[in-house]
Amino acid sequence: MSDLLSHRLALLAEHPNLELLSQCLHGIERECLRVDGQGALAMTPHPRALGSALTHPKITTDYSEALLEFITGTETDPQRTLAELDAIHRYTYSKLGDEFLWSPSMPGHLPEESQIPIAEYGSSNIGRLKYVYRQGLALRYGKTMQCIAGIHYNFSLPEALWSLLQADEDDQRSPQDYQSWRYIALIRNFRRYSWLLMYLFGASPALDASFMRGRAHQLQQLDDDTLYLPWATSLRMSDLGYQSNAQAGLTPCYDDLPSYTSSLHNAVSTPYPEYAALGTKDADGRWQQLNTNILQIENEYYSNIRPKRVTATGERPLHALRSRGIQYIEVRCLDINPFLPLGIDVCEARFLDAFLLFCALQQSPCLVEGECRASNDNFLKVVKEGRRPGLELHRGGEHVTLQAWARELIDEIGKVAAVLDQSHGGEQHALAVAAQQAKIADSSLTPSAQVLHALRSNGETFGQFALRQTRQHAENFRSRALPAADAAWFDGTARDSLAQQAEMEAGDTQDFDSFVEDYQRSLTSLTPS
């Protein structure tokens, strides 16, 4: 363990400071596809009983009309976060009729590209903007790629903890700048070590063959309907034949917040020739993308982790970051575990807390170009062949086996977990680390290995396995009706969201073309920092 990490842990373990670690905040966003009883993509509209996907605070849609997204609030205890996520699932199932929530990250058999429905958000200008943005995604990357689901884990440290560390280091920056600087340092370490999360929690080693239709790939055939890689952990996070030449140069190595926001600012304001040739509107004058830039908006940048700040209504994420700094981070590389009803459990959450706190407290020098490339290579190698015996990764210009490096990291994360347990009481974080230690010693315990074992031992295609898990989880949720008061709250929130959408639609006076023009102008007013 580095001297700096030891010093920071000792400081946090002092009695007056220990409670700070119990004030970290957690939030979860879980995506999942609505499917019919045979596991085919639901072609029905977003259920009105669930409220407005535009304005509901807990239940919305992502890319497709069938791709639901559940959003929890923030809690200091991830157990409560998961309890809220469970309640959202139970309420949603009470309104789904004969439809189901697909359990894995990778979709089942998909209809033809043209038949995949894009999410709709009504006739308000902001609703139409969200729809056109998704049309742009379809135009640029195809609809199939947008049907993948994942779990996003939001995490923040209390401001008082950053103040404590800043005072200890006698850092003269403003508190806001120091906090942002330290979150960027966390992100750099996340890029160095996130391959470990792919090994431990990757759960997509196989997929339905229809996903790769018409595209070249290096996947192997497990059966007539299933493609896989024998040592893969997370095909969801691999390239899967998906290439974005426009985003190829977008690999900010997170030296600081200004350089990160500048790189994104350039991407959302720089035309890309291939997109410019397509134009913003089709031959009939219908909008097909918001603009012809490398990115239409900031969120189009595909990254494993994002610095975040809660935005005001209508505020662009870049503006929020630049004006008020980083508030929390969003981990975006987590697969949905198809063996878990919620796709994630408290053991995984507590390990993530220890891992992210390790990334925050461990020394984090800037990533030089070679290390930046090595971090990307290590990540991609683990998602495609992470369970291969003797697999070697690059560290500091040298080769090291995944197992050896993982053991070293787990040992250090374990020391962080011990301080977290001092703060919270009990030994839950230590137990979570021990569960991951067992996976490093025995790769058959990883979710990716368990998925392949289930397919082979049951003689199932990916689609059959996924539908079986989906039905099991549906029974779990449907058998536990929400308390009447909770159901009434969700009913009321759904009604309120529909009324809010109607109010927005009635209040729009500006034509859509002018609205988009003003939206683009809001970015150009953000001069690069």
Side-chain angles (χ1 to χ4, degrees):
M1 184 159 60
S2 71
D3 291 343
L4 185 59
L5 179 60
S6 298
H7 171 76
R8 287 170 172 167
L9 283 175
L11 179 66
L12 290 170
E14 291 176 8
H15 182 69
N17 305 328
L18 201 54
E19 68 172 350
L20 292 174
L21 290 176
S22 66
Q23 297 169 20
C24 297
L25 290 175
H26 315 77
I28 294 174
E29 300 159 35
R30 190 252 166 112
E31 303 159 343
C32 50
L33 287 167
R34 283 186 296 114
V35 298
D36 66 18
Q38 286 70 51
L41 190 72
M43 306 302 283
T44 50
H46 181 69
R48 187 173 175 82
L50 295 179
S52 163
L54 179 66
T55 55
H56 198 293
K58 303 293 180 183
I59 303 170
T60 183
T61 51
D62 194 303
Y63 173 77
S64 172
E65 185 75 353
L67 184 55
L68 287 168
E69 182 174 5
F70 300 148
I71 305 167
T72 74
T74 54
E75 294 282 357
T76 54
D77 184 350
Q79 186 78 63
R80 289 200 295 271
T81 309
L82 290 164
E84 182 183 1
L85 187 62
D86 178 71
I88 297 171
H89 279 74
R90 289 154 67 191
Y91 180 77
T92 299
Y93 259 115
S94 74
K95 306 296 182 183
L96 276 190
D98 57 1
E99 292 181 348
F100 294 84
L101 302 176
W102 191 246
S103 284
S105 278
M106 299 306 293
H109 188 81
L110 289 172
E112 291 301 314
E113 280 260 334
S114 61
Q115 300 303 309
I116 296 173
I118 295 174
E120 299 200 28
Y121 300 93
S123 61
S124 69
N125 281 331
I126 192 68
R128 289 184 64 192
L129 184 123
K130 288 168 73 76
Y131 178 75
V132 172
Y133 166 62
R134 284 157 177 76
Q135 284 184 302
L137 295 179
L139 189 70
R140 295 171 176 213
Y141 316 111
K143 293 181 176 180
T144 299
M145 288 302 304
Q146 314 302 320
C147 292
I148 300 173
I151 283 180
H152 299 167
Y153 194 78
N154 299 316
F155 179 81
S156 69
L157 297 160
E159 289 186 1
L161 187 150
W162 293 125
S163 298
L164 173 71
L165 294 176
Q166 183 172 11
D168 179 66
E169 295 165 19
D170 195 27
D171 189 286
Q172 299 304 307
R173 276 172 266 224
S174 71
Q176 177 180 308
D177 287 347
Y178 177 82
Q179 180 171 312
S180 292
W181 176 66
R182 289 300 305 274
Y183 271 122
I184 289 289
L186 182 165
I187 289 171
R188 284 198 298 270
N189 275 337
F190 185 90
R191 285 174 56 78
R192 289 182 171 102
Y193 307 129
S194 53
W195 57 263
L196 179 63
L197 300 182
M198 297 297 91
Y199 175 84
L200 296 172
F201 302 114
S204 53
L207 48 87
D208 190 275
S210 67
F211 189 85
M212 300 305 299
R213 56 193 166 197
R215 287 185 293 154
H217 60 82
Q218 292 79 45
L219 304 181
Q220 299 178 24
Q221 202 90 30
L222 187 65
D223 55 54
D224 289 346
D225 300 310
T226 308
L227 299 172
Y228 83 118
L229 285 178
W231 306 110
T233 62
S234 177
L235 292 177
R236 164 179 168 264
M237 294 305 300
S238 74
D239 50 26
L240 287 174
Y242 160 71
Q243 298 294 327
S244 171
N245 293 326
Q247 289 197 30
L250 264 183
T251 52
C253 279
Y254 303 96
D255 289 339
D256 51 34
L257 181 58
S259 66
Y260 171 79
T261 56
S262 289
S263 65
L264 279 193
H265 183 278
N266 289 337
V268 294
S269 53
T270 302
Y272 185 66
E274 188 177 321
Y275 303 155
L278 295 168
T280 54
K281 296 181 178 180
D282 64 19
D284 297 320
R286 292 175 300 214
W287 282 90
Q288 58 180 358
Q289 54 182 341
L290 289 176
N291 55 51
T292 60
N293 298 330
I294 295 170
L295 302 178
Q296 299 174 89
I297 61 174
E298 300 92 312
N299 287 350
E300 190 174 332
Y301 175 50
Y302 293 105
S303 58
N304 299 339
I305 184 170
R306 281 180 184 163
K308 301 277 283 192
R309 159 68 61 178
V310 173
T311 57
T313 303
E315 183 181 30
R316 296 193 71 135
L318 273 177
H319 183 273
L321 286 172
R322 283 183 174 167
S323 60
R324 300 190 299 284
I326 302 173
Q327 184 179 19
Y328 65 98
I329 54 96
E330 178 188 46
V331 174
R332 300 170 51 80
C333 58
L334 299 172
D335 281 354
I336 296 167
N337 186 328
F339 298 104
L340 301 173
L342 297 176
I344 183 174
D345 62 12
V346 73
C347 179
E348 181 175 346
R350 297 208 190 280
F351 179 81
L352 287 169
D353 289 351
F355 176 83
L356 292 169
L357 186 58
F358 164 74
C359 288
L361 300 179
Q362 174 67 297
Q363 58 190 5
S364 179
C366 286
L367 290 156
V368 296
E369 184 180 344
E371 188 182 10
C372 219
R373 187 167 55 250
S375 296
N376 289 337
D377 291 347
N378 287 339
F379 187 91
L380 289 173
K381 187 177 284 190
V382 173
V383 300
K384 288 184 176 178
E385 49 180 343
R387 287 177 291 103
R388 183 186 295 279
L391 181 70
E392 290 189 336
L393 305 177
H394 289 281
R395 180 178 65 178
E398 298 179 347
H399 293 281
V400 59
T401 65
L402 180 149
Q403 260 68 27
W405 195 358
R407 284 194 296 268
E408 291 176 26
L409 286 174
I410 286 288
D411 184 55
E412 297 199 332
I413 295 165
K415 294 179 172 65
V416 176
V419 179
L420 279 169
D421 281 336
Q422 279 182 258
S423 175
H424 290 79
E427 54 179 358
Q428 291 175 303
H429 295 89
L431 291 172
V433 172
Q436 312 319 315
Q437 211 158 14
K439 294 180 190 174
I440 293 165
D442 181 1
S443 66
S444 71
L445 299 175
T446 60
S448 57
Q450 292 177 335
V451 168
L452 290 181
H453 176 74
L455 296 180
R456 288 174 171 136
S457 61
N458 295 317
E460 292 174 310
T461 66
F462 169 76
Q464 290 168 338
F465 159 77
L467 184 58
R468 178 166 58 83
Q469 294 300 123
T470 294
R471 288 181 171 277
Q472 283 181 14
H473 297 157
E475 178 58 31
N476 174 299
F477 292 123
R478 284 179 164 143
S479 67
R480 295 182 295 116
L482 276 180
D486 292 351
W489 181 89
F490 277 106
D491 285 342
T493 303
R495 286 193 301 271
D496 290 346
S497 71
L498 291 167
Q500 187 180 352
Q501 178 181 327
E503 187 178 333
M504 291 169 68
E505 291 171 350
D508 270 347
T509 56
Q510 190 178 27
D511 67 275
F512 185 64
D513 286 20
S514 300
F515 179 81
V516 175
E517 189 177 329
D518 287 349
Y519 184 80
Q520 305 294 2
R521 196 179 294 121
S522 73
L523 176 73
T524 57
S525 67
L526 293 174
T527 54
S529 44

